[in-house]
Amino acid sequence: MVTCEPPKKSLPYCSDTASLHGGCRAFLVFPGLKMLSAQNFGESGKMKEYHYTGPVEHRFSPYAFNGGTVLAVAGEDFAIVASDTRLSEGYSIHSRDSPKCYKLTDTTVIGCSGFHGDCLTLTKIIDARLKMYKHSNTKTMTSGAIAAMLSTILYGRRFFPYYVYNIIGGLDEQGKGAVYSFDPVGSYQRDTYKAGGSASAMLQPLLDNQIGFKNMEGVEHVPLSKEKAVQLVKDVFISAAERDVYTGDALRICIITKEGIQEQNIPLRKD
Amino acid sequence: AVPVGYEPSSFLGVCNREEGVRIDLNHGTTTLAFKFRHGVIVAVDSRASAGNYLDCNDANKVIEINPYLLGTMSGSAADCQYWERLLAKECRLYKLRNNHRISVAAASKLLSNMMLGYKGMGLSMGSMICGWDKEGPGLFYVDSNGTRLSGRMFSTGCGNSYAYGVVDSGYKEDMTVEEAYELGCRGIAHATHRDAYSGGSVNMYHMREDGWIKVCKEDVSKLIHRYREGMF
């Protein structure tokens, strides 16, 4: 039986440096932390020139940015979760076939972008919790319940967050499409459409205009059909691949309807 | 227990300086609430920003704890959502154990004690707990420093100074209900006009003796246009 746990007041691993440097305040802090030491300031109190040639503290960062874009759209009786499949780090591409959509249940798919290590761990934890719920309650978790649970899982790490931008897409209890978008520490809400990840700032305004009919006047608000939504998602990702270096290679679309989850793979620019 | 010298509040700030890694959390608001003869008016904006990116323009910043209790959210969205949801759970448990509804003073104290448990660790929450109990209309301000104040009027968030100016100048104890609605809308609308991190729409609630009602959800740009008509 899972009880509601308050966020852990734990700190990231740094015991080695702590033992080396005793009680020195700078090294009790996480080793990746760069402190402004006395060396950086000259006699007059102004910062010295940037020609520093002495020993430099090299940092270990617990996070990396692996790129990728995720998108979810909710329709009247369907939901679409789409992601690109490029896994990158800095100037390199680790993989061209690493989709960011993960199937959770027959009616729910989650898209996770950000730091791939945290995405993998987070999806493992969600899968485990789904199984526990199914065994205790003999029913599958609904999309809304998964969203509320994910919020508490993310907040449990409030002081050392999962560097993941999540978007859940699925069908609610009434069979209508539902999209839930999250920030890295668990704040969430239900939307009709949302883009997350590296190209999110480029895609979100386009979705606001095409699906939300925002910033237009005198336009009839036509409800989105499944075919139109899929075409829109393809077009939008093609645009994102043109302008965002971390997005490209291929597009994986998961279309969720009451019949099940259908997947499509569409190639994108590989450069 | 956390080791001496560790600053969780600066950890995220450091991570944000590294190449490509940016963890921006949803932030920024204006909320206001005031008591008057016919109850309590609660008005909030609906913008959620993450750094310089506008994450959401229709965020819900009022949590309906029970038909007689409302909580507003400002500061970090995740902190507010989590702790106020936890408060809602505690209020429900109180009612089940004691067979009567929790008072506004007790509910706000529960929340402020939760905040005091994590004091100094970088939580960011400014909330107003509004309700109607045996003592009448209740309004408490609770924040992540552990402050808990009872008062007649509060405004929180980065746009609060603008809202204070507007509401202070228009407030009368014996306002009619319509005048109070208008004042609440104006306070939020003018704050969103001048504060970059507030915007979207005004969500307004009215706490009455028989519970709260949702008054309106008005787009701020329409309101500003309406107010400007009379100005020039």
Side-chain angles (χ1 to χ4, degrees):
Chain A
M1 171 72 166
V2 178
T3 50
C4 185
E5 277 179 15
K8 275 194 284 241
K9 295 185 200 181
S10 62
L11 78 149
Y13 175 79
C14 68
S15 60
D16 270 4
T17 27
S19 62
L20 271 178
H21 298 274
C24 171
R25 186 175 187 262
F27 293 94
L28 266 179
V29 185
F30 189 77
L33 227 94
K34 187 172 160 199
M35 304 293 279
L36 274 176
S37 56
Q39 306 161 303
N40 287 352
F41 289 88
E43 292 287 321
S44 62
K46 292 210 283 230
M47 294 278 279
K48 276 208 277 219
E49 285 296 304
Y50 197 67
H51 299 306
Y52 186 59
T53 49
V56 177
E57 184 194 347
H58 283 280
R59 22 217 355 252
F60 163 70
S61 167
Y63 298 119
F65 181 61
N66 293 122
T69 307
V70 179
L71 171 55
V73 178
E76 189 55 43
D77 57 351
F78 66 92
I80 296 174
V81 179
S83 76
D84 73 323
T85 59
R86 173 174 287 180
L87 191 73
S88 36
E89 187 167 347
Y91 291 117
S92 320
I93 294 180
H94 285 314
S95 165
R96 293 193 190 273
D97 184 25
S98 169
K100 290 148 195 74
C101 322
Y102 302 90
K103 174 172 171 278
L104 297 179
T105 67
D106 285 332
T107 53
T108 317
V109 173
I110 188 171
C112 314
S113 65
F115 171 42
H116 191 61
D118 277 346
C119 295
L120 291 175
T121 304
L122 190 60
T123 45
K124 278 189 196 131
I125 290 178
I126 298 173
D127 279 334
R129 291 285 298 267
L130 282 173
K131 270 197 197 122
M132 284 155 65
Y133 183 98
K134 190 138 189 217
H135 290 145
S136 320
N137 303 83
T138 55
K139 71 181 187 95
T140 331
M141 275 186 101
T142 59
S143 296
I146 297 177
M149 178 184 75
L150 180 57
S151 171
T152 47
I153 293 174
L154 291 170
Y155 200 81
R157 288 271 298 254
R158 168 68 174 78
F159 301 115
F160 181 19
Y162 289 110
Y163 181 31
V164 189
Y165 289 90
N166 295 289
I167 305 183
I168 290 181
L171 301 176
D172 65 11
E173 289 99 315
Q174 280 81 40
K176 292 202 172 127
V179 164
Y180 297 91
S181 60
F182 295 76
D183 82 344
V185 276
S187 142
Y188 82 107
Q189 68 166 58
R190 186 169 175 175
D191 294 308
T192 318
Y193 54 87
K194 189 78 180 177
S198 54
S200 60
M202 285 182 220
L203 299 187
Q204 190 66 31
L206 183 51
L207 297 178
D208 282 336
N209 181 268
Q210 292 295 308
I211 306 180
F213 302 104
K214 301 243 174 92
N215 307 313
M216 289 200 288
E217 278 187 47
V219 181
E220 196 197 331
H221 286 18
V222 182
L224 201 63
S225 71
K226 190 170 70 155
E227 291 68 34
K228 196 145 182 286
V230 173
Q231 192 51 49
L232 184 65
V233 166
K234 288 179 188 166
D235 289 341
V236 137
F237 263 92
I238 290 169
S239 315
E242 294 283 329
R243 289 290 184 178
D244 178 35
V245 303
Y246 295 111
T247 306
D249 293 331
L251 166 64
R252 165 79 64 93
I253 305 185
C254 301
I255 305 163
I256 306 145
T257 52
K258 62 178 191 306
E259 278 88 45
I261 300 179
Q262 191 201 347
E263 281 182 8
Q264 283 183 26
N265 278 307
I266 288 104
L268 292 174
R269 285 185 77 120
K270 291 186 170 23
D271 59 359
Chain B
V2 180
V4 167
Y6 176 60
E7 284 163 31
S9 52
S10 53
F11 176 60
L12 280 182
V14 167
C15 285
N16 277 350
R17 271 186 250 147
E18 278 148 31
E19 289 264 320
V21 173
R22 264 201 86 81
I23 302 186
D24 285 325
L25 309 176
N26 290 342
H27 237 103
T29 324
T30 310
T31 69
L32 67 85
F34 56 86
K35 279 197 235 182
F36 71 122
R37 181 164 297 179
H38 304 283
V40 191
I41 296 289
V42 178
V44 301
D45 79 316
S46 65
R47 175 169 289 187
S49 44
N52 291 329
Y53 180 63
L54 216 174
D55 197 41
C56 184
N57 235 346
D58 58 2
N60 186 15
K61 300 190 187 180
V62 175
I63 180 166
E64 298 152 5
I65 297 172
N66 66 42
Y68 288 81
L69 259 185
L70 288 174
T72 66
M73 311 187 197
S74 73
S76 162
D79 290 339
C80 293
Q81 276 188 12
Y82 181 87
W83 293 107
E84 294 197 19
R85 222 173 126 211
L86 202 60
L87 177 65
K89 181 192 93 162
E90 290 299 322
C91 292
R92 177 78 184 126
L93 283 173
Y94 181 96
K95 178 149 192 278
L96 288 168
R97 290 176 179 136
N98 303 72
N99 221 5
H100 66 89
R101 260 195 303 266
I102 192 170
S103 64
V104 186
S108 59
K109 199 151 215 182
L110 279 174
L111 185 62
S112 84
N113 285 337
M114 291 176 200
M115 289 296 108
L116 283 166
Y118 286 84
K119 190 174 162 80
M121 300 193 67
L123 293 187
S124 164
M125 186 201 79
S127 163
M128 293 178 300
I129 305 296
C130 325
W132 197 300
D133 57 21
K134 289 200 293 274
E135 320 284 321
L139 177 59
F140 282 82
Y141 166 75
V142 177
D143 77 13
S144 44
N145 296 323
T147 308
R148 172 177 166 267
L149 298 167
S150 169
R152 184 177 299 169
M153 198 251 288
F154 291 108
S155 174
T156 69
C158 37
N160 70 352
S161 27
Y162 307 108
Y164 273 129
V166 172
V167 180
D168 278 333
S169 64
Y171 180 84
K172 292 191 295 271
E173 163 70 38
D174 56 354
M175 279 187 288
T176 65
V177 174
E178 279 70 35
E179 282 172 350
Y181 291 168
E182 183 61 16
L183 190 62
C185 269
R186 271 194 187 258
I188 297 291
H190 286 290
T192 58
H193 185 53
R194 285 291 177 180
D195 177 33
Y197 293 99
S198 305
S201 32
V202 182
N203 284 316
M204 186 146 61
Y205 289 73
H206 179 189
M207 178 68 66
R208 302 189 300 203
E209 192 167 359
D210 54 352
W212 54 260
I213 53 159
K214 178 143 191 200
V215 176
C216 68
K217 182 189 170 77
E218 288 239 42
D219 189 304
V220 157
S221 30
K222 293 197 176 62
L223 283 173
I224 290 287
H225 276 116
R226 207 190 327 144
Y227 298 147
R228 288 181 86 97
E229 295 279 280
M231 274 165 71
F232 301 107

